[in-house]
Amino acid sequence: MITSVKNEKVKQWKKLHKRRERTQAGAFLVEGFHLVEEAVNSNWTVREVIIQEDVEQPSWTDSYPVVIVSENVMAHITQTTTPQGIIAVIESCEQTKRSGNHLLLIDSIQDPGNLGTIIRTADAAGMDGILLGDGTVDLYNDKVIRSTQGSIFHIPIFHANLEEVLSDLKEEGFSIWATALENASNYNDITPEGKVAIILGNEGAGVQAELIKQADRSVKIPIYGQAESLNVSIAAGILMYHLKR
């Protein structure tokens, strides 16, 4: 059992709280029984499971390397206020093969809670994949992972240069919808047909002008009350479910 926060393993786990270290290690941390089990039941690689000394060890952990740690070590490496006493180190999984008719393109969304909620909703709506553009918050940020509630392990997620990928999508027959306010059609006036890719933009700046120019149409969600705008994750949910009508 590891009892010291100065242990070399503990130092390596702690480093995974930073994006640069996660990228270098090719791994990230997942906390809590639900998320760890979602990872175990997926095709992602579990490097090791970290369990607090007084927590009952699930039977499925027999298939993985397990490290027992003291309560003070768990408190040192956890990023949740009420840790459940179980963490897994998961290998990053870079998707390479796209398929399907409904895609979501993320343009520089910065809030981890927003990205996580969008991923969870895209999973629920049956989207075929999500493409993360440059400037988007790290997929393996702990708040992103928690907000997905395990959906990060269910839906294909890619990193891409959106300007470049739009040309490819058009050649594949996709209609590109960019969310915008100016010169945009109400989404509910449009009947989705065939392949559709929706671009969602940064919380403050929206979709980049260059991407809007490449889109086949701009769409907006009408606001009937006093609110200035909709949260991007709510807008994403409305548009994704519209595709499934």
Side-chain angles (χ1 to χ4, degrees), residues 16-57:
L16 296 178
H17 293 172
K18 298 180 179 179
R19 181 173 189 166
R20 182 180 64 182
E21 299 292 345
R22 289 193 293 268
T23 301
Q24 187 173 346
F28 60 100
L29 299 178
V30 167
E31 298 187 34
F33 282 97
H34 172 67
L35 287 175
V36 172
E37 288 178 4
E38 289 287 342
V40 166
N41 292 329
S42 72
N43 60 356
W44 294 52
T45 300
V46 179
R47 287 188 181 175
E48 59 188 345
V49 180
I50 307 157
I51 298 181
Q52 189 173 304
E53 58 181 320
D54 56 353
V55 172
E56 184 177 352
Q57 189 170 324

Side-chain angles (χ1 to χ4, degrees), residues 5 15 43 56 67-68 74 88 92 112 115 141 144 153 162 197-198 219 240:
V5 296
K15 286 181 179 179
N43 60 356
E56 184 177 352
V67 183
I68 306 299
M74 180 62 69
S92 307
L115 180 59
N141 176 292
V144 172
F153 303 116
L162 297 187
I198 301 173
V219 298
M240 287 188 285

